[in-house]
Amino acid sequence: MAYKIRVILDVDQDVFRDIVVNEAINLEELHFIIAKSFGFKGQEMASFYLTDATWEQGEEIPLFDMSEDENSFCMANCVTSMVLKKESDKLIYIYDFFSMWTFFVELTEIIDEADKELPFIALSFGNPPEKAPEKDFIGEDIDADNFDAFDDEANFDNIDDIDLDNY
């Protein structure tokens, strides 16, 4: 089976690709296909993130397994059909952590038999800008009164008085 996946670049103007891939490829292969379809070389760090119907970012699936036990989730050991199981399933894809190119990935169609050699770009619309747009990282409003203890230097021990031999 094949998957038709719409990949939308998060920029002001409309830029997206409809890509048809084999359902059995791993996410590392999908990463390269997406990157190249938007004109990137695919040489930068990247991650997929599980998400829900409202695009809330969930668990990370990194390009490389960086855990100590080397048995955690990463793109190479995650087959596309494991995370995109039915039409309208979604992922967030971040390419190049310095530029933070952000993509919305959605399974739009499951195809019983593809009529072309896979993968291929079924539709290409728009061109990515030269630079990734600036991201606004907005946190929750925090009550400033809760941080008064940090403003008073008397609440902290003098570093010279700490016996570091005990640690």
Side-chain angles (χ1 to χ4, degrees):
M1 287 207 294
Y3 279 179
K4 184 176 182 183
I5 299 172
R6 174 153 289 175
V7 184
I8 303 168
L9 179 57
D10 185 20
V11 292
D12 289 336
Q13 68 277 19
D14 291 335
V15 180
F16 66 88
R17 306 288 182 264
D18 285 350
I19 302 167
V20 180
V21 299
N22 185 313
E23 67 164 340
I25 65 170
N26 64 32
L27 289 182
E28 184 176 19
E29 293 171 273
L30 183 59
H31 146 71
F32 286 117
I33 293 166
I34 292 171
K36 290 181 180 181
S37 74
F38 282 88
F40 301 116
K41 294 180 181 177
Q43 297 174 329
E44 304 297 334
M45 288 298 295
S47 285
F48 283 98
Y49 295 87
L50 301 178
T51 186
D52 60 14
T54 62
W55 298 102
E56 289 293 323
Q57 186 172 317
E59 182 181 353
E60 178 182 17
I61 305 169
L63 182 57
F64 301 110
D65 182 0
M66 293 182 264
S67 67
E68 291 181 16
D69 62 7
E70 298 181 6
N71 290 324
S72 69
F73 227 21
C74 70
M75 289 186 203
N77 63 22
C78 182
V79 176
T80 302
S81 61
M82 291 171 57
V83 292
L84 298 174
K85 298 175 184 174
K86 63 185 184 318
E87 290 180 8
S88 80
D89 279 355
K90 299 169 174 49
L91 294 169
I92 295 173
Y93 170 64
I94 307 291
Y95 176 77
D96 186 352
F97 293 134
F98 290 113
S99 298
M100 295 296 289
W101 292 99
T102 304
F103 300 83
F104 301 105
V105 178
E106 182 175 2
L107 176 58
T108 57
E109 185 180 352
I110 297 174
I111 305 166
D112 288 330
E113 292 184 34
D115 57 350
K116 293 184 179 179
E117 188 174 324
L118 301 177
F120 67 91
I121 298 173
L123 177 64
S124 177
F125 185 88
N127 294 310
E130 294 290 320
K131 270 180 58 174
E134 294 288 326
K135 296 290 180 191
D136 292 329
F137 295 101
I138 301 169
E140 296 177 28
D141 288 337
I142 299 174
D143 183 10
D145 294 337
N146 292 333
F147 292 99
D148 287 344
F150 296 111
D151 292 337
D152 185 3
E153 290 181 18
N155 291 329
F156 293 98
D157 291 329
N158 185 336
I159 191 106
D160 295 331
D161 295 337
I162 298 174
D163 184 7
L164 297 176
D165 292 333
N166 291 333
Y167 295 98

